Amino acid sequence: VQLQASGGGLVQAGGSLRLSCTASGRTLSNYAVGWFRQAPGKEREFVAAFRSGGTTRYTNSVKGRFTISRDSTRNTMYLQMNNLVPEDTAAYYCAADSPPFAIWSEMSSASSYDYWGQGTQVTVSS
């Protein structure tokens, strides 16, 4: 599956963005999906994950502000980001895990994912 991320941009603190990640080649509903981010000089970190049935998982710093979702009709996953803060500034990457899926507790690890989209930059100004 090929993943194409979009929706990044420059926003003021307190603002919102919605990132999209469209899949081609395969049906995204057959995969567990996630979002990661990487700030300059830092390691890539887990942001959110979603699996069939609607189970979601978030890193603590984005809980209550970010929402991960998937639209099977559009073969697209989303990351709705509200109340953004400067610390959210990073390149954001979407990823997909193909069957057999990694155990759910491992879905925060980048190594659990088989496919990656290119990054989309999010910059939050103070």
Side-chain angles (χ1 to χ4, degrees):
V1 62
Q2 291 79 44
L3 303 175
Q4 179 73 39
S6 62
L10 174 64
V11 63
Q12 288 188 331
S16 299
L17 283 174
R18 188 177 77 160
L19 305 183
S20 300
C21 180
T22 300
S24 59
R26 298 289 174 89
T27 301
L28 195 59
S29 60
N30 293 334
Y31 298 79
V33 295
W35 287 94
F36 287 74
R37 64 188 180 186
Q38 187 167 18
K42 295 187 177 181
E43 294 186 354
R44 188 169 298 190
E45 67 168 349
F46 169 75
V47 176
F50 177 101
R51 66 178 179 182
S52 296
T55 303
T56 57
R57 182 184 183 127
Y58 298 92
T59 192
N60 286 339
S61 63
V62 308
K63 284 181 181 177
R65 301 189 298 121
F66 290 12
T67 303
I68 186 173
S69 62
R70 185 174 65 193
D71 185 341
S72 297
T73 64
R74 298 178 181 271
N75 218 28
T76 299
M77 57 187 283
Y78 301 98
L79 184 68
Q80 177 66 43
M81 306 185 295
N82 298 328
N83 194 22
L84 285 159
V85 298
E87 291 72 26
D88 295 320
T89 295
Y92 283 71
Y93 298 86
C94 55
D97 175 31
S98 59
F101 299 121
I103 59 176
W104 187 236
S105 61
E106 294 295 322
M107 292 305 290
S108 59
S109 172
S111 61
S112 295
Y113 295 83
D114 303 302
Y115 303 97
W116 291 84
Q118 89 295 354
T120 185
Q121 180 66 35
V122 172
T123 303
V124 184
S125 63
S126 57

